[in-house]
Amino acid sequence: RTPANYGFTIIAKIKAGTAEAIRAYGKVLEQIVHDDPHAFATLQLHYLRWVLFDIEDTTFFMYQGIFDTDFDRYTEDAVALFHKLGVDTVFENLEGFPADWKTNVSAFIQFVREHQCPSFLEYGEYPFVTAGEIKKALMVKRALSAMLDEAQ
């Protein structure tokens, strides 16, 4: 755990020709969140960032996430969430990702650990504050603002 809570950066080669499938999958997740803003609540995410980038003739995928649970819990929760939502994982487009990930969570975890690139610096403007605490503070702020607006 760091001041930015828990997280990881995964960098892996994509399978040839899957860049558009990865982008399309991002749109699927965007629609899920549009339809249900709390769809990913169990992951306790602060943020998630995906990047495709090229080095020479090879395309890589970077997945960065900051969340409030530890690594194993986050990964287990993610696999369960994929099952619940009826979606696969974008990682299926990555070289070496286990085909049996749906029934073999430990293989999923192993893949992520093998592709994890640890950070050497993390900074948190609000260290060790959970996503839930931030949401709660924003709710209090909105309620207080509404009350003050009504008092005027």
Side-chain angles (χ1 to χ4, degrees):
R1 188 170 188 210
T2 70
N5 292 324
Y6 297 95
F8 50 70
T9 299
I10 299 163
I11 298 177
K13 291 180 187 179
I14 70 168
K15 293 176 183 174
T18 62
E20 289 311 312
I22 291 170
R23 286 186 177 90
Y25 185 83
K27 295 291 184 189
V28 168
L29 296 186
E30 185 179 318
Q31 187 62 50
I32 288 171
V33 172
H34 177 268
D35 294 345
D36 178 4
H38 305 289
F40 298 116
T42 58
L43 298 180
Q44 299 179 47
L45 279 165
H46 286 260
Y47 78 84
L48 185 62
R49 175 179 291 141
W50 292 4
V51 178
L52 288 171
F53 62 96
D54 294 324
I55 298 177
E56 296 178 6
D57 295 330
T58 304
T59 303
F60 291 84
F61 176 72
M62 181 175 68
Y63 177 109
Q64 290 182 307
I66 297 291
F67 41 87
D68 290 331
T69 61
D70 67 32
F71 169 84
D72 291 331
R73 174 74 187 270
Y74 176 84
T75 306
E76 291 166 3
D77 287 347
V79 171
L81 184 61
F82 296 143
H83 287 307
K84 177 183 171 188
L85 295 174
V87 296
D88 292 326
T89 175
V90 71
F91 291 174
E92 289 183 338
N93 297 293
L94 306 179
E95 288 186 9
F97 188 72
D100 65 345
W101 69 272
K102 291 179 183 179
T103 57
N104 188 355
V105 176
S106 62
F108 189 119
I109 290 171
Q110 181 179 345
F111 177 87
V112 172
R113 286 192 189 280
E114 289 172 355
H115 291 83
Q116 158 68 358
C117 297
S119 58
F120 60 89
L121 172 68
E122 289 190 23
Y123 171 79
E125 184 68 28
Y126 45 92
F128 305 109
V129 177
T130 68
E133 290 170 323
I134 293 167
K135 289 176 185 177
K136 200 178 295 183
L138 291 172
M139 286 175 29
V140 169
K141 179 184 177 229
R142 281 191 292 271
L144 183 58
S145 291
M147 184 180 72
L148 292 173
D149 288 346
E150 287 181 24
Q152 292 180 358

